[in-house]
């Protein structure tokens, strides 16, 4: 064996070693189920087989003149090499189609048409032993190319150009990492092909292709950063990437959101907030319904299933199967648990227009009191819009404080006002506080909104206008959840002290809706606030939230009776008895009474006869912006 053959065999051995390593790594990762994975494995197997066949050719070539067996091995090795290697560039083309997602939009007929150059070149290779149009060996066993081999190179070049064109066409549909990996493959492979084309004695083609494929394996096939290690399904990052791909490729895709409403059941059953048990069980079930690579787990309480290329009928079958499964118990910690899940379908395009929509819907918290049957894609999209509007309004300082005056029954004369936050978003318009405040609470932004309102009120009081107009105080709403958080009183006092105003000018309204275990904390907070000179009111008395324990424990200055009690007392003797006794009882407890919902002069007369202290309602004014409020007072 001459030195040239030994040099070639070293190249082939290196190629085979790289391919075996890459293939082993791919199989061990268990990422072999996607079309993309199979095409990649196909290319690796071709390179491995080529490395073996070219090694056989190099070993048998020196003995082919003297040994018929060596000649047959040489001929078969070369034939085997050309049969397989001719498939490499077409496979690369379809691999790029798969990575970009374009393959999902291809019909079978189109794929057959694009496969014709491969079929033609394979025919030439198959008949080469008879016609020698691709290559031949002369009488001294020297290898020679023939015209059909250049045809094979041309077909390979065509597929190469198609693959590059597809990559450029889908440039924005894939990540930078994947772009670089595929460009790296193209450049390195092309370099090896051109070197071997112009100098047949340098067998660089297989080696350069194997190195290039190793780069693709590391950057494209390895999905460690896209996989949830506990469940084996895709994570938030993968969902973001794949939804972006669907949109860039302008695909029609159905998306199913599975949102677990009562995920806290897992903590109650297992004694731990760890949701891994639930996640693994649900993901294992979903894998029986759709392929693993269509399932995503963007957060602990949400699963997302994509259905690219699925018919409406198939999507409906999937939805039905999932809904039926969630009507049954799940065995968690050896106990049956019924997971309450809202299963909602949507579509791209149509319902969803941005990646952010999908992420917002995934992160949306569905309150436990919402009937899952009422949760639709419209409900989720509206909630997502509201969440975006809240964040935008906070970021751009677009919230506005409205004021509704309160009056002393004597006169009546101006007593103060209640500060109420309003959101009028440039995209979705006016949103009721009843709609956006619960969302703000769920996403943890209600404190920022409350801080905004408090600062606006402090600034208004600092101007001196409220005192000049005879106002005793301005009421500011606080949520109980906010009050019982560590450091709350220091935070509130710090804000107010920045404006150097009288603490008594602020009356904090608290809707008393806490459990008995929270009274101790809330009572301490209210005592600290009162010690600093702030006033305190109980809001919504009579709605079912407030009770006597709250009035006793929290030492309020004012109790606000809900408008429903006033309206009931207007035409109902029992209602009037309840209102009268409520006013008397609150007075006996040492608190003032403010009645909401005053809309008629008759309301004022009735409340005067019952001895109420303060009034608030549309008879005087609706909540209005500060400019309008200044005109009223």
């Amino acid at each position: 064996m001459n030195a040239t053959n030994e040099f070639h065999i070293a190249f082939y051995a290196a190629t085979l070693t790289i391919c075996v390593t890459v293939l082993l790594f791919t199989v061990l990762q268990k990422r072999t189920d996607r079309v993309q994975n199979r095409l990649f494995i196909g290319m690796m197997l071709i390179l491995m087989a080529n490395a073996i066949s070219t090694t056989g050719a190099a070993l048998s070539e020196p003995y082919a003149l003297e040994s018929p067996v060596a000649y047959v091995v040489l001929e078969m090795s070369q034939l085997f090499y050309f049969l397989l290697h001719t498939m490499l560039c077409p496979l690369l083309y379809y691999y790029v189609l798969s990575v970009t997602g374009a393959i999902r939009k291809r019909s079978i007929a189109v794929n057959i048409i694009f496969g014709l150059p491969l079929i033609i070149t394979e025919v030439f290779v198959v008949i080469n032993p008879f016609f020698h149009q691709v290559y031949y060996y002369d009488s001294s066993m020297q290898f020679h190319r023939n015209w059909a081999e250049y045809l094979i190179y041309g077909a390979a070049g065509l597929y190469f150009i198609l693959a590059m064109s597809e990559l450029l066409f889908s440039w924005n549909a894939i990540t930078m990492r994947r772009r670089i990996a595929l460009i790296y493959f193209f450049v390195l492979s092309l370099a090896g092909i051109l070197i071997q084309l112009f100098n047949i004695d340098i067998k660089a083609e297989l080696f350069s292709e194997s190195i290039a494929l190793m780069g693709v394996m590391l950057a494209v096939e390895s999905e460690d950063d896209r996989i949830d290690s506990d469940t084996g399904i895709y994570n938030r990052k993968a969902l973001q990437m794949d939804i972006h791909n669907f949109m860039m490729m302008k695909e029609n895709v159905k998306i199913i959101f599975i949102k677990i409403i009562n995920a806290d059941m897992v903590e109650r059953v297992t004694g731990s907030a760890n949701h891994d048990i639930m996640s693994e069980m649900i993901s294992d079930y979903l894998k029986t319904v759709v392929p693993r690579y269509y399932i995503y787990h963007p957060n602990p309480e949400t699963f997302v299933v994509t259905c690219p290329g699925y018919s409406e009928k198939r999507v409906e079958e999937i939805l039905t199967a999932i809904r039926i499964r969630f009507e049954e118990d799940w065995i968690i910690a050896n106990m049956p648990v019924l997971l309450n899940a809202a299963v909602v379908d949507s579509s791209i395009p149509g319902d969803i227009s941005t990646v952010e929509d999908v992420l917002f819907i995934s992160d949306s918290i569905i309150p436990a009191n919402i009937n899952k049957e009422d949760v639709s894609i419209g409900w989720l999209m509206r909630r997502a819009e509201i969440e975006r509007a809240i964040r935008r309004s906070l970021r751009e300082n677009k919230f506005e404080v409205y004021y509704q005056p309160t009056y002393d029954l004597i006169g009546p004369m101006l007593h103060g006002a209640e500060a109420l936050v309003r959101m009028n978003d440039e995209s979705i318009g006016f949103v009721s506080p009843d709609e956006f405040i619960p969302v703000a609470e769920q996403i943890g932004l209600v404190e920022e909104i409350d801080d905004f309102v408090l600062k606006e009120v402090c600034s208004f009081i600092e101007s001196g206008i409220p005192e000049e107009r005879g106002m005793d105080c301005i009421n500011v709403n606080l949520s109980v959840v906010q009050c019982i958080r560590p450091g709350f009183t220091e935070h509130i006092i710090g804000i107010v002290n920045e404006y150097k105003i009288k603490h008594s000018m602020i009356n904090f309204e608290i809707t008393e809706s806490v459990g008995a275990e929270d009274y101790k904390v809330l009572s301490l907070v209210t005592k600290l606030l009162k010690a600093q000179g702030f006033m305190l009111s109980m809001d919504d008395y009579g709605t079912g939230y407030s009770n006597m324990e709250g009035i006793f424990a929290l030492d309020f200055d004012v109790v606000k009776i809900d408008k429903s009690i006033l309206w009931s007392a207007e035409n109902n003797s029992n209602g009037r008895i309840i209102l009268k006794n409520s006013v008397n009882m609150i007075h006996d407890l040492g608190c003032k009474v403010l009645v909401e919902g005053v809309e008629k002069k008759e309301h004022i007369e009735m409340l005067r006869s019952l001895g109420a202290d303060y009034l608030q309602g549309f008879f005087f004014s609706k909540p209005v912006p500060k400019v309008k409020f200044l005109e009223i007072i």
Side-chain angles (χ1 to χ4, degrees), residues 437-438 440-448 450 477-489 491-492 509-515 517-519 521-522 525 554:
I437 290 296
E441 288 177 338
Q442 291 161 14
I443 63 176
L445 293 178
V446 72
E447 287 187 43
E448 293 187 41
D450 286 345
N477 289 280
L478 294 178
S479 67
V480 170
V481 173
Q482 183 185 10
C483 291
I484 62 177
R485 284 183 178 162
F488 166 75
T489 51
H491 176 70
I492 289 294
E509 290 189 14
I510 300 174
T511 300
E512 192 286 298
S513 57
V514 297
E517 67 277 6
D518 291 323
Y519 272 122
V521 176
L522 190 55
V525 168
L554 305 180

Side-chain angles (χ1 to χ4, degrees), residues 147 169 182 220 225 258 260 305 334 341 436 457 481 495 508 519:
W147 65 270
F169 179 76
L182 291 174
V220 180
D225 59 335
I258 304 162
I260 312 302
V305 174
N334 296 319
F436 76 78
V457 168
V481 173
I495 290 175
F508 287 118
Y519 272 122

Side-chain angles (χ1 to χ4, degrees), residues 230-247:
D230 294 318
T231 61
I233 58 178
Y234 285 137
N235 58 23
R236 185 185 186 88
K237 179 179 180 180
L239 177 64
Q240 198 168 355
M241 291 169 59
D242 293 347
I243 296 298
H244 172 76
N245 179 268
F246 293 146
M247 291 178 174

Side-chain angles (χ1 to χ4, degrees), residues 369-418:
N369 61 346
I370 295 291
N371 188 337
K372 67 181 180 182
E373 306 301 331
D374 296 333
V375 179
S376 64
I377 188 60
W379 188 94
L380 290 170
M381 288 297 293
R382 173 64 177 176
R383 195 194 179 288
E385 288 177 342
I386 291 171
E387 183 174 337
R388 276 198 292 262
I390 291 170
R391 296 182 188 279
R392 187 163 50 241
S393 296
L394 283 172
R395 185 174 61 250
E396 299 174 4
N397 202 32
K398 289 294 181 66
F399 278 110
E400 189 174 359
V401 174
Y402 278 40
Y403 295 89
Q404 185 175 27
T406 60
Y407 287 83
D408 193 312
L409 194 57
I410 299 172
M413 58 184 291
L414 184 65
H415 164 63
E418 180 179 1

Side-chain angles (χ1 to χ4, degrees), residues 97-114:
L97 288 176
S98 182
V99 171
T100 61
I103 198 169
R104 293 188 295 267
K105 300 172 71 174
R106 285 291 185 87
S107 66
I108 296 175
V110 171
N111 283 331
I112 290 174
I113 292 171
F114 277 88

Side-chain angles (χ1 to χ4, degrees), residues 173-233:
I174 59 176
T175 62
M176 180 62 70
R177 174 177 165 178
R178 292 187 169 194
R179 294 174 201 162
I180 293 172
L182 291 174
I183 292 293
Y184 174 76
F185 177 89
F186 288 134
V187 172
L188 201 57
S189 297
L190 185 61
I193 291 168
L194 292 176
I195 289 171
Q196 189 164 325
L197 175 63
F198 293 110
N199 190 336
I200 197 170
D201 290 327
I202 302 177
K203 306 294 186 181
E205 188 172 329
L206 291 180
F207 183 71
S208 64
E209 289 166 348
S210 65
I211 292 290
L213 279 178
M214 182 171 67
V216 170
M217 181 270 292
L218 292 172
V220 180
E221 290 299 300
S222 178
E223 295 189 310
D224 288 344
D225 59 335
R226 286 168 48 89
I227 298 291
D228 181 280
S229 58
D230 294 318
T231 61
I233 58 178

Side-chain angles (χ1 to χ4, degrees), residues 31-73:
R31 304 289 177 253
T32 59
D33 49 352
R34 306 181 71 179
V35 173
Q36 168 187 320
N37 305 143
R38 292 166 185 167
L39 290 169
F40 178 79
I41 290 171
M43 289 189 288
M44 294 306 307
L45 290 174
I46 285 175
L47 288 182
M48 287 173 62
N50 283 168
I52 294 170
S53 63
T54 49
T55 300
L59 291 171
S60 59
E61 188 177 30
Y63 310 105
L65 275 174
E66 302 170 359
S67 169
V69 174
Y71 177 75
V72 171
V73 171

